[in-house]
């Protein structure tokens, strides 16, 4: 069984619209999280984690 590179690239580059640089920097666990295929991890992040992410990756000028 070969790895489904075509499907993975279509998902990352086509559906998520990631740049090729950002796509190839993702780890497989990150890709699983983006695709919603992580099992047993349905809980939302805590407020502290959410705030940390918002500070690290702001949407724009605030």
């Amino acid at each position: 069984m070969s790895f489904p590179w075509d499907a993975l690239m279509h998902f990352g580059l086509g559906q998520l619209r990631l740049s090729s640089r950002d796509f190839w920097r993702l780890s497989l666990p990150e890709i699983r999280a983006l695709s919603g295929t992580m099992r047993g991890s349905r809980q939302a992040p805590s407020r502290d984690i959410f705030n940390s992410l918002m500070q690290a990756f702001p949407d724009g000028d605030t």
Side-chain angles (χ1 to χ4, degrees):
M1 177 183 217
S2 63
F3 193 80
W5 287 109
D6 289 345
L8 183 61
M9 291 172 65
H10 173 74
F11 173 70
L13 301 172
Q15 292 181 347
L16 295 179
R17 302 182 68 150
L18 296 170
S19 69
S20 59
R21 180 190 64 138
D22 291 339
F23 173 76
W24 290 112
R25 287 184 175 181
L26 291 172
S27 66
L28 288 177
E30 290 170 328
I31 292 169
R32 287 181 59 211
L34 288 170
S35 69
T37 60
M38 294 187 73
R39 295 182 184 150
S41 181
R42 305 260 187 244
Q43 187 175 13
S46 70
R47 175 57 67 181
D48 289 337
I49 292 172
F50 184 69
N51 286 335
S52 295
L53 289 170
M54 287 185 358
Q55 288 178 358
F57 304 100
D59 287 336
D61 295 335
T62 56

